[in-house]
Amino acid sequence: MREELRAQLQESWETTLNERLAIAPTSPVSILNELLAARLKKPGRARLPNVSRLRASTPRAS
């Protein structure tokens, strides 16, 4: 059941990212801009971001 939910969420994410890409190929939001750029280079390859990796690489505000 979890795998089915994950697959549905992944499909929804990719559809949404494609729709956003159709509106504009860039974004002022850096993570979204990176995902859109990756989508342009390799259609179908952009995945949900690894949140733990993003937290480790993003400086936290004090």
Side-chain angles (χ1 to χ4, degrees):
M1 182 168 43
R2 288 181 183 177
E3 182 59 28
E4 184 178 327
L5 177 58
R6 189 208 58 79
Q8 290 171 351
L9 289 171
Q10 184 67 39
E11 182 179 341
S12 177
W13 166 253
E14 291 181 8
T15 298
T16 301
L17 195 56
N18 285 336
E19 290 171 354
R20 174 57 179 80
L21 187 59
I23 294 169
T26 60
S27 171
V29 178
S30 61
I31 187 66
L32 178 56
N33 198 49
E34 290 174 26
L35 291 167
L36 293 171
R39 196 73 167 177
L40 283 172
K41 291 179 184 176
K42 297 179 183 179
R45 292 289 188 198
R47 307 293 288 185
L48 286 170
N50 182 332
V51 176
S52 60
R53 187 170 24 129
L54 291 175
R55 286 184 185 149
S57 66
T58 305
R60 293 180 185 241
S62 299

Coordinates of all heavy atoms in Angstrom, one line a residue:
M1 N 0.8 -1.2 0.0 CA 0.0 0.0 0.0 C 0.9 1.3 0.0 O 0.6 2.2 -0.7 CB -0.9 0.0 1.2 CG -1.8 1.2 1.2 SD -3.2 1.2 2.4 CE -2.6 0.6 3.9
R2 N 2.0 1.3 0.8 CA 2.9 2.4 0.8 C 3.5 2.7 -0.6 O 3.7 3.8 -1.0 CB 3.9 2.2 1.8 CG 3.4 2.4 3.2 CD 4.5 2.2 4.2 NE 3.9 2.3 5.6 CZ 4.6 2.1 6.7 NH1 5.9 1.8 6.6 NH2 4.1 2.2 7.8
E3 N 3.9 1.6 -1.2 CA 4.5 1.7 -2.5 C 3.5 2.3 -3.5 O 3.9 3.2 -4.4 CB 5.0 0.4 -3.0 CG 5.7 0.4 -4.4 CD 6.9 1.4 -4.4 OE1 7.6 1.6 -3.4 OE2 7.2 1.9 -5.5
E4 N 2.3 1.9 -3.5 CA 1.2 2.4 -4.3 C 1.0 3.9 -4.1 O 0.9 4.7 -5.0 CB -0.1 1.7 -4.1 CG -1.2 2.1 -5.1 CD -2.5 1.3 -4.9 OE1 -2.4 0.1 -4.5 OE2 -3.6 1.9 -5.0
L5 N 1.0 4.3 -2.8 CA 0.8 5.7 -2.5 C 2.0 6.5 -2.9 O 1.9 7.6 -3.5 CB 0.7 5.9 -1.0 CG 0.6 7.3 -0.4 CD1 -0.6 8.1 -1.1 CD2 0.4 7.3 1.1
R6 N 3.2 6.0 -2.7 CA 4.4 6.7 -3.2 C 4.4 6.9 -4.7 O 4.7 8.0 -5.2 CB 5.7 5.9 -2.8 CG 7.0 6.6 -3.1 CD 8.2 5.8 -3.4 NE 8.0 4.9 -4.5 CZ 8.1 5.2 -5.8 NH1 8.4 6.5 -6.1 NH2 8.0 4.4 -6.7
A7 N 4.0 5.9 -5.4 CA 3.9 5.9 -6.9 C 2.9 7.0 -7.3 O 3.2 7.8 -8.3 CB 3.6 4.6 -7.5
Q8 N 1.8 7.1 -6.7 CA 0.8 8.1 -7.0 C 1.3 9.5 -6.7 O 1.0 10.4 -7.5 CB -0.5 7.8 -6.2 CG -1.3 6.5 -6.7 CD -2.4 6.2 -5.8 OE1 -2.6 6.7 -4.7 NE2 -3.2 5.2 -6.2
L9 N 1.9 9.6 -5.6 CA 2.5 10.9 -5.2 C 3.6 11.4 -6.2 O 3.7 12.5 -6.6 CB 3.0 10.9 -3.8 CG 1.9 10.9 -2.7 CD1 2.6 10.7 -1.3 CD2 1.1 12.2 -2.7
Q10 N 4.4 10.4 -6.6 CA 5.5 10.7 -7.5 C 4.9 11.1 -8.9 O 5.3 12.1 -9.5 CB 6.4 9.5 -7.7 CG 7.5 9.8 -8.7 CD 8.5 10.7 -8.1 OE1 8.8 10.7 -6.9 NE2 9.0 11.6 -8.9
E11 N 3.8 10.4 -9.3 CA 3.2 10.8 -10.6 C 2.6 12.2 -10.5 O 2.7 13.0 -11.4 CB 2.1 9.8 -10.9 CG 1.4 10.1 -12.3 CD 0.4 9.0 -12.6 OE1 0.4 7.9 -12.1 OE2 -0.5 9.3 -13.5
S12 N 1.9 12.5 -9.4 CA 1.3 13.8 -9.2 C 2.4 14.9 -9.2 O 2.2 16.0 -9.8 CB 0.6 13.8 -7.8 OG 0.0 15.1 -7.6
W13 N 3.5 14.6 -8.5 CA 4.6 15.6 -8.5 C 5.2 15.8 -9.9 O 5.4 17.0 -10.3 CB 5.8 15.0 -7.6 CG 7.1 15.8 -7.7 CD1 8.2 15.3 -8.4 CD2 7.4 17.1 -7.3 NE1 9.2 16.3 -8.3 CE2 8.7 17.4 -7.7 CE3 6.6 18.1 -6.6 CZ2 9.3 18.6 -7.4 CZ3 7.3 19.3 -6.3 CH2 8.6 19.5 -6.7
E14 N 5.4 14.8 -10.6 CA 5.9 15.0 -12.0 C 5.0 15.7 -12.9 O 5.4 16.6 -13.7 CB 6.3 13.6 -12.6 CG 7.5 13.0 -11.8 CD 8.0 11.7 -12.3 OE1 7.5 11.2 -13.4 OE2 8.9 11.1 -11.7
T15 N 3.7 15.4 -12.8 CA 2.7 16.1 -13.6 C 2.7 17.6 -13.2 O 2.7 18.5 -14.1 CB 1.3 15.5 -13.3 OG1 1.3 14.2 -13.7 CG2 0.2 16.3 -14.1
T16 N 2.7 17.9 -11.9 CA 2.7 19.3 -11.5 C 4.0 20.0 -11.9 O 3.9 21.2 -12.4 CB 2.6 19.3 -9.9 OG1 1.4 18.7 -9.5 CG2 2.6 20.8 -9.4
L17 N 5.1 19.4 -11.9 CA 6.4 20.0 -12.3 C 6.3 20.2 -13.8 O 6.7 21.3 -14.3 CB 7.5 19.1 -12.0 CG 8.9 19.7 -12.0 CD1 9.0 20.9 -11.2 CD2 10.0 18.7 -11.6
N18 N 5.8 19.3 -14.6 CA 5.6 19.5 -16.0 C 4.7 20.7 -16.3 O 4.9 21.5 -17.2 CB 5.1 18.3 -16.7 CG 6.1 17.2 -16.8 OD1 7.3 17.5 -16.8 ND2 5.6 16.0 -16.9
E19 N 3.6 20.8 -15.6 CA 2.7 21.9 -15.7 C 3.4 23.3 -15.4 O 3.2 24.3 -16.1 CB 1.4 21.7 -14.9 CG 0.5 20.6 -15.4 CD -0.6 20.2 -14.5 OE1 -0.7 20.7 -13.3 OE2 -1.4 19.4 -14.9
R20 N 4.1 23.3 -14.3 CA 4.9 24.5 -13.9 C 5.9 24.8 -15.0 O 6.1 26.0 -15.4 CB 5.5 24.3 -12.6 CG 6.4 25.4 -12.1 CD 5.7 26.7 -12.1 NE 6.6 27.8 -11.6 CZ 7.5 28.4 -12.3 NH1 7.6 28.1 -13.6 NH2 8.2 29.4 -11.8
L21 N 6.6 23.9 -15.6 CA 7.5 24.1 -16.6 C 6.9 24.7 -17.8 O 7.5 25.5 -18.5 CB 8.2 22.8 -17.0 CG 9.4 22.8 -17.9 CD1 10.5 23.7 -17.4 CD2 9.9 21.4 -18.2
A22 N 5.6 24.3 -18.1 CA 4.9 24.8 -19.3 C 4.6 26.3 -19.1 O 4.5 27.1 -20.1 CB 3.6 24.0 -19.5
I23 N 4.4 26.7 -17.8 CA 4.1 28.1 -17.5 C 5.4 29.0 -17.8 O 5.3 30.0 -18.4 CB 3.6 28.3 -16.1 CG1 2.3 27.6 -16.0 CG2 3.5 29.8 -15.7 CD1 1.8 27.5 -14.5
A24 N 6.5 28.6 -17.2 CA 7.8 29.3 -17.3 C 8.9 28.3 -17.0 O 8.8 27.5 -16.1 CB 7.8 30.5 -16.4
P25 N 10.0 28.4 -17.8 CA 11.1 27.5 -17.6 C 12.0 27.8 -16.4 O 12.9 27.0 -16.1 CB 11.9 27.5 -18.9 CG 11.6 28.9 -19.4 CD 10.2 29.2 -18.9
T26 N 11.8 28.9 -15.7 CA 12.7 29.3 -14.6 C 11.8 29.8 -13.4 O 10.6 30.1 -13.6 CB 13.6 30.4 -15.0 OG1 12.9 31.6 -15.4 CG2 14.6 30.0 -16.1
S27 N 12.4 29.9 -12.3 CA 11.7 30.4 -11.1 C 12.7 31.1 -10.2 O 13.9 30.8 -10.1 CB 11.2 29.2 -10.3 OG 10.7 29.6 -9.0
P28 N 12.2 32.1 -9.5 CA 13.1 32.8 -8.5 C 13.4 32.0 -7.3 O 14.3 32.3 -6.6 CB 12.4 34.1 -8.2 CG 10.9 33.8 -8.5 CD 11.0 32.8 -9.6
V29 N 12.6 30.9 -7.1 CA 12.9 30.0 -6.0 C 13.9 29.0 -6.4 O 13.8 28.2 -7.4 CB 11.6 29.3 -5.6 CG1 11.8 28.3 -4.5 CG2 10.5 30.3 -5.3
S30 N 15.1 29.1 -5.7 CA 16.3 28.3 -6.2 C 16.0 26.8 -6.4 O 16.4 26.2 -7.4 CB 17.5 28.6 -5.3 OG 17.2 28.1 -4.0
I31 N 15.4 26.2 -5.4 CA 15.2 24.7 -5.5 C 14.3 24.4 -6.7 O 14.5 23.4 -7.5 CB 14.7 24.1 -4.2 CG1 14.7 22.5 -4.3 CG2 13.4 24.6 -3.8 CD1 16.1 21.9 -4.5
L32 N 13.2 25.2 -6.9 CA 12.3 24.9 -8.0 C 13.1 25.2 -9.3 O 12.9 24.5 -10.3 CB 11.1 25.8 -7.9 CG 10.1 25.7 -9.0 CD1 9.6 24.2 -9.2 CD2 8.9 26.6 -8.8
N33 N 13.9 26.3 -9.4 CA 14.6 26.6 -10.6 C 15.6 25.4 -10.9 O 15.7 25.1 -12.1 CB 15.4 27.9 -10.4 CG 15.9 28.4 -11.7 OD1 15.1 28.6 -12.6 ND2 17.1 28.8 -11.8
E34 N 16.2 24.8 -10.0 CA 17.1 23.7 -10.2 C 16.3 22.5 -10.7 O 16.8 21.8 -11.7 CB 17.8 23.3 -8.9 CG 18.9 24.3 -8.5 CD 19.5 23.9 -7.1 OE1 19.5 22.7 -6.8 OE2 19.9 24.9 -6.5
L35 N 15.1 22.2 -10.2 CA 14.3 21.1 -10.6 C 13.8 21.3 -12.0 O 13.8 20.4 -12.9 CB 13.1 20.9 -9.7 CG 13.5 20.4 -8.3 CD1 12.4 20.5 -7.3 CD2 14.0 18.9 -8.4
L36 N 13.4 22.6 -12.4 CA 13.0 22.9 -13.7 C 14.1 22.7 -14.7 O 13.9 22.2 -15.8 CB 12.4 24.3 -13.8 CG 11.1 24.5 -13.0 CD1 10.8 26.0 -12.9 CD2 10.0 23.7 -13.5
A37 N 15.3 23.2 -14.3 CA 16.5 23.1 -15.2 C 16.8 21.6 -15.5 O 17.1 21.2 -16.6 CB 17.7 23.8 -14.6
A38 N 16.7 20.8 -14.4 CA 17.0 19.3 -14.6 C 15.9 18.7 -15.5 O 16.2 17.8 -16.3 CB 17.0 18.6 -13.3
R39 N 14.7 19.2 -15.4 CA 13.6 18.7 -16.2 C 13.8 19.0 -17.6 O 13.5 18.2 -18.5 CB 12.3 19.3 -15.7 CG 11.0 18.6 -16.1 CD 10.9 17.3 -15.4 NE 9.6 16.7 -15.6 CZ 9.3 15.6 -15.1 NH1 10.1 14.9 -14.4 NH2 8.1 15.1 -15.3
L40 N 14.3 20.2 -17.9 CA 14.6 20.6 -19.3 C 15.7 19.7 -19.9 O 15.6 19.4 -21.1 CB 15.0 22.0 -19.4 CG 13.9 23.1 -19.2 CD1 14.5 24.5 -19.1 CD2 12.9 23.0 -20.4
K41 N 16.7 19.4 -19.1 CA 17.8 18.6 -19.6 C 17.4 17.1 -19.8 O 17.8 16.5 -20.8 CB 19.0 18.6 -18.6 CG 19.6 20.0 -18.6 CD 20.8 20.0 -17.6 CE 21.4 21.3 -17.5 NZ 22.4 21.4 -16.4
K42 N 16.7 16.5 -18.8 CA 16.3 15.1 -18.9 C 14.8 15.0 -18.6 O 14.5 14.7 -17.4 CB 17.1 14.3 -17.9 CG 18.6 14.4 -18.2 CD 19.4 13.6 -17.1 CE 20.9 13.7 -17.4 NZ 21.6 13.0 -16.4
P43 N 14.0 15.1 -19.5 CA 12.5 15.0 -19.3 C 12.2 13.6 -18.6 O 12.8 12.6 -18.9 CB 11.9 15.0 -20.7 CG 12.9 15.7 -21.5 CD 14.2 15.4 -20.9
G44 N 11.4 13.7 -17.5 CA 11.0 12.5 -16.8 C 11.9 12.1 -15.7 O 11.7 11.1 -15.0
R45 N 13.0 12.9 -15.5 CA 14.0 12.5 -14.5 C 13.9 13.2 -13.2 O 14.5 12.8 -12.2 CB 15.4 12.7 -15.1 CG 15.8 11.8 -16.2 CD 15.9 10.4 -15.7 NE 16.5 9.5 -16.7 CZ 16.4 8.2 -16.7 NH1 15.9 7.6 -15.6 NH2 16.9 7.5 -17.6
A46 N 13.2 14.4 -13.2 CA 13.1 15.1 -11.9 C 12.3 14.3 -10.9 O 11.2 13.9 -11.2 CB 12.5 16.5 -12.2
R47 N 12.8 14.2 -9.7 CA 12.2 13.4 -8.7 C 11.9 14.3 -7.5 O 12.4 15.4 -7.4 CB 13.1 12.2 -8.2 CG 13.6 11.4 -9.4 CD 12.6 10.6 -10.0 NE 12.1 9.5 -9.1 CZ 11.2 8.6 -9.5 NH1 10.7 8.6 -10.6 NH2 10.9 7.7 -8.6
L48 N 11.2 13.8 -6.6 CA 10.9 14.5 -5.3 C 12.3 14.8 -4.7 O 13.2 13.9 -4.7 CB 10.1 13.7 -4.4 CG 8.6 13.6 -4.7 CD1 7.9 12.6 -3.8 CD2 7.9 14.9 -4.6
P49 N 12.5 16.0 -4.2 CA 13.7 16.3 -3.5 C 14.0 15.5 -2.3 O 13.0 15.1 -1.6 CB 13.6 17.8 -3.2 CG 12.2 18.1 -3.2 CD 11.5 17.1 -4.1
N50 N 15.2 15.1 -2.0 CA 15.6 14.4 -0.8 C 15.7 15.5 0.3 O 16.6 16.2 0.4 CB 16.9 13.7 -1.0 CG 17.3 12.9 0.2 OD1 17.0 13.2 1.3 ND2 18.1 11.9 0.0
V51 N 14.6 15.5 1.1 CA 14.5 16.6 2.1 C 15.7 16.5 3.1 O 16.2 17.6 3.5 CB 13.2 16.5 2.9 CG1 13.1 17.5 4.0 CG2 12.0 16.6 1.9
S52 N 16.1 15.4 3.5 CA 17.2 15.3 4.5 C 18.5 15.9 3.8 O 19.3 16.5 4.5 CB 17.5 13.9 4.9 OG 17.8 13.0 3.9
R53 N 18.7 15.6 2.6 CA 19.9 16.2 1.9 C 19.8 17.7 1.8 O 20.7 18.4 2.0 CB 20.0 15.6 0.5 CG 21.3 15.9 -0.2 CD 21.6 15.2 -1.4 NE 20.4 14.6 -2.0 CZ 20.1 14.7 -3.3 NH1 20.8 15.4 -4.1 NH2 19.0 14.2 -3.8
L54 N 18.6 18.2 1.5 CA 18.3 19.6 1.4 C 18.6 20.3 2.7 O 19.2 21.4 2.8 CB 16.9 20.0 0.9 CG 16.6 19.6 -0.5 CD1 15.1 19.8 -0.8 CD2 17.4 20.3 -1.5
R55 N 18.1 19.7 3.8 CA 18.3 20.3 5.1 C 19.8 20.4 5.5 O 20.3 21.4 6.1 CB 17.6 19.5 6.2 CG 16.1 19.7 6.1 CD 15.4 19.0 7.2 NE 14.0 19.1 7.1 CZ 13.1 18.2 7.5 NH1 13.5 17.1 8.0 NH2 11.8 18.4 7.3
A56 N 20.6 19.4 5.1 CA 22.0 19.4 5.4 C 22.8 20.4 4.6 O 23.8 21.0 5.1 CB 22.6 18.0 5.1
S57 N 22.3 20.7 3.4 CA 23.0 21.7 2.6 C 22.5 23.1 2.6 O 23.1 24.0 2.1 CB 23.0 21.2 1.1 OG 21.7 21.3 0.6
T58 N 21.4 23.3 3.3 CA 20.8 24.6 3.4 C 21.2 25.3 4.7 O 20.9 24.7 5.8 CB 19.3 24.6 3.3 OG1 19.0 23.9 2.0 CG2 18.6 25.9 3.3
P59 N 21.8 26.5 4.7 CA 22.1 27.1 5.9 C 20.8 27.5 6.7 O 19.9 28.0 6.0 CB 22.9 28.4 5.5 CG 23.0 28.4 4.0 CD 22.2 27.2 3.5
R60 N 20.8 27.4 7.9 CA 19.6 27.7 8.7 C 19.8 29.1 9.2 O 20.8 29.6 9.6 CB 19.5 26.8 9.9 CG 19.2 25.4 9.5 CD 19.1 24.5 10.7 NE 18.9 23.1 10.3 CZ 17.9 22.4 10.5 NH1 16.9 22.9 11.3 NH2 17.8 21.2 10.1
A61 N 18.6 29.8 9.2 CA 18.5 31.2 9.7 C 18.6 31.2 11.3 O 18.0 30.3 11.9 CB 17.3 31.9 9.3
S62 N 19.3 32.1 11.9 CA 19.4 32.2 13.3 C 18.3 33.0 13.9 O 17.8 33.9 13.4 CB 20.7 32.8 13.7 OG 21.8 31.9 13.2

